[in-house]
């Protein structure tokens, strides 16, 4: 039982290290909305599996100590292979850091949201538009009931009427697609494993690209949408304080997004791009399946070891 306990939980802890290159490839190859959902689901699964693996190692380390074995009603402590107890100690420390960082992140995001929401509710609105008198150009989608498009007077002055409509269409796409849930989920997942932190940037880019495409479809003019995003980004000198989960048209790699909007379709490479997109999705799904298998195998092996230590046979 020792080998599976030592090897299986390591799989969910190692797989997230492969996420950064796969996330970049997914954003580049998949359709923006598909990349957003695929990356969010994979990141959340990997985060949960890594926490489960840390919990398995921590529990095994505790039950290998006589006092905790007695509390667990074990006849004898679990046997420990060389290197397993130090690994369990490291897992316990990592789990403690996660338990400390996750609630802090949740509370911080809630506090930021309520502060900005309270300030926005005091401003005059026109439909879903909330205009703030400020010399700092900024615009973002503020989720809630109802959702609001927060924009400063300086940003309105920086854009032409047509560009404003393109910018508003972009932010409305964020609200209607509920992109803030994706940003919140991936932001919390990043606290569960350092290898998942780059996925946050990839998910934000995918959300912005999805909103870009929705705005281009709404306006019927891809060049206008690209110009509006580019001019809004150039006008933004320093972003106002906004919630972490509030998407904004000026965030992410704007030159890359503008280039994608201006890029003409290339029918000749459609087949290769389709295969590359499928491969990116399959690789992310494979990562999720490997993590699930490793976390499950580790939990099953621990359960069997506990049964034996209690004087029972597996299945008995």
């Amino acid at each position: 039982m020792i080998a599976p306990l030592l090897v299986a939980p390591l799989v969910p802890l190692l797989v997230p290290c492969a996420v950064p290159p796969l996330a970049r490839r997914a954003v580049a190859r998949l359709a923006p909305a598909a990349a957003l959902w695929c990356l969010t689901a994979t990141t959340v699964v990997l985060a949960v599996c890594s926490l489960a693996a840390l919990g398995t190692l921590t529990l095994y380390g505790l039950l290998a100590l006589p006092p905790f074995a007695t509390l667990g009603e074990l006849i004898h402590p679990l046997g420990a292979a060389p290197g397993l107890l130090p690994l369990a100690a490291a897992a316990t420390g990592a789990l403690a850091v996660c338990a400390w960082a996750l609630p802090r992140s949740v509370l911080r995001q809630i506090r930021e949201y309520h502060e900005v929401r309270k300030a926005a509710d005091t401003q005059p609105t026109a439909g879903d538009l909330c205009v703030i008198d400020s010399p700092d150009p900024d615009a973002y989608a503020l989720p809630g009931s109802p959702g609001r498009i927060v924009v400063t007077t300086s940003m309105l002055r920086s854009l032409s009427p047509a560009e404003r409509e393109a910018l508003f269409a972009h932010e409305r796409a964020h609200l209607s697609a509920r992109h803030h849930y994706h940003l919140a989920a991936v932001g919390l997942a990043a606290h569960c494993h350092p290898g998942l932190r780059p996925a946050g940037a990839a998910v934000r880019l995918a959300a912005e690209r999805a909103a870009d495409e929705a705005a281009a479809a709404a306006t019927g003019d891809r060049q206008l949408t690209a110009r509006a995003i580019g001019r809004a980004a150039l006008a933004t000198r320093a972003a106002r304080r906004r919630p972490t989960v509030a998407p904004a048209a000026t965030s992410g790699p704007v030159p890359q997004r503008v280039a994608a909007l201006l890029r003409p379709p290339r029918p000749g490479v459609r087949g290769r791009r389709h295969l590359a997109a499928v491969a990116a999705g399959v690789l992310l799904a494979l990562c999720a399946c490997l993590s699930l298998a490793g976390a499950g195998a580790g939990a099953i092996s621990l359960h069997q070891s506990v049964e034996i230590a209690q004087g029972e046979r597996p299945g008995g």
Side-chain angles (χ1 to χ4, degrees):
M1 298 302 172
I2 297 300
L5 272 170
L6 184 59
V7 175
L10 293 179
V11 174
L13 299 178
L14 294 176
V15 168
C17 298
V19 166
L22 293 179
R24 290 191 294 269
R25 181 175 293 273
V27 174
R29 301 299 184 184
L30 291 171
L36 179 62
W37 278 100
C38 188
L39 284 172
T40 302
T42 301
T43 303
V44 170
V45 169
L46 294 182
V48 172
C49 289
S50 66
L51 288 179
L54 291 175
T56 297
L57 291 171
T58 297
L59 189 57
Y60 189 92
L62 292 176
L63 294 179
L65 303 175
F68 290 97
T70 301
L71 291 176
E73 298 181 353
L74 304 185
I75 296 176
H76 55 81
L78 297 183
L84 185 55
L85 286 182
L87 189 61
T92 303
L95 200 59
V97 171
C98 292
W100 176 78
L102 279 172
R104 284 174 58 87
S105 178
V106 171
L107 292 176
R108 177 178 56 81
Q109 292 187 24
I110 292 175
R111 183 176 64 253
E112 290 176 350
Y113 172 79
H114 282 297
E115 288 177 357
V116 176
R117 184 76 195 192
K118 183 178 179 180
D121 287 342
T122 62
Q123 303 297 321
T125 60
D128 60 354
L129 193 63
C130 173
V131 180
I132 296 178
D133 188 10
S134 171
D136 299 322
D138 195 20
Y140 57 91
L142 182 63
S145 183
R148 301 247 185 241
I149 300 172
V150 179
V151 61
T152 64
T153 53
S154 181
M155 178 63 81
L156 293 178
R157 289 192 296 267
S158 301
L159 304 176
S160 68
E163 290 168 348
R164 293 175 199 165
E165 291 304 318
L167 181 67
F168 298 158
H170 176 101
E171 304 301 355
R172 287 191 182 100
H174 281 311
L175 294 175
S176 62
R178 302 182 183 275
H179 289 161
H180 54 282
Y181 286 126
H182 296 270
L183 300 180
V186 175
L188 294 178
H191 292 289
C192 300
H193 195 291
L196 298 177
R197 290 173 186 168
V203 166
R204 185 170 290 275
L205 173 57
E208 295 303 329
R209 284 283 300 116
D212 291 344
E213 294 297 331
T219 61
D221 191 336
R222 297 181 68 84
Q223 290 188 352
L224 170 65
T225 304
R227 188 168 64 250
I229 293 170
R231 291 190 63 181
L234 289 174
T236 304
R237 296 184 297 272
R240 293 168 56 87
R241 185 174 183 181
R242 68 169 76 114
T244 307
V245 297
T250 56
S251 63
V254 174
Q256 180 179 343
R257 292 166 49 203
V258 170
L261 285 169
L262 297 179
R263 186 180 303 125
R266 295 178 294 176
V269 297
R270 185 173 298 170
R272 294 198 300 273
R273 289 182 65 85
H274 177 71
L275 290 177
V278 171
V282 169
L283 287 174
L284 286 172
L286 180 61
C287 286
C289 290
L290 285 175
S291 289
L292 285 169
I300 292 172
S301 297
L302 175 62
H303 177 68
Q304 292 175 342
S305 297
V306 169
E307 284 188 332
I308 293 173
Q310 288 175 335
E312 303 174 359
R313 291 292 179 186

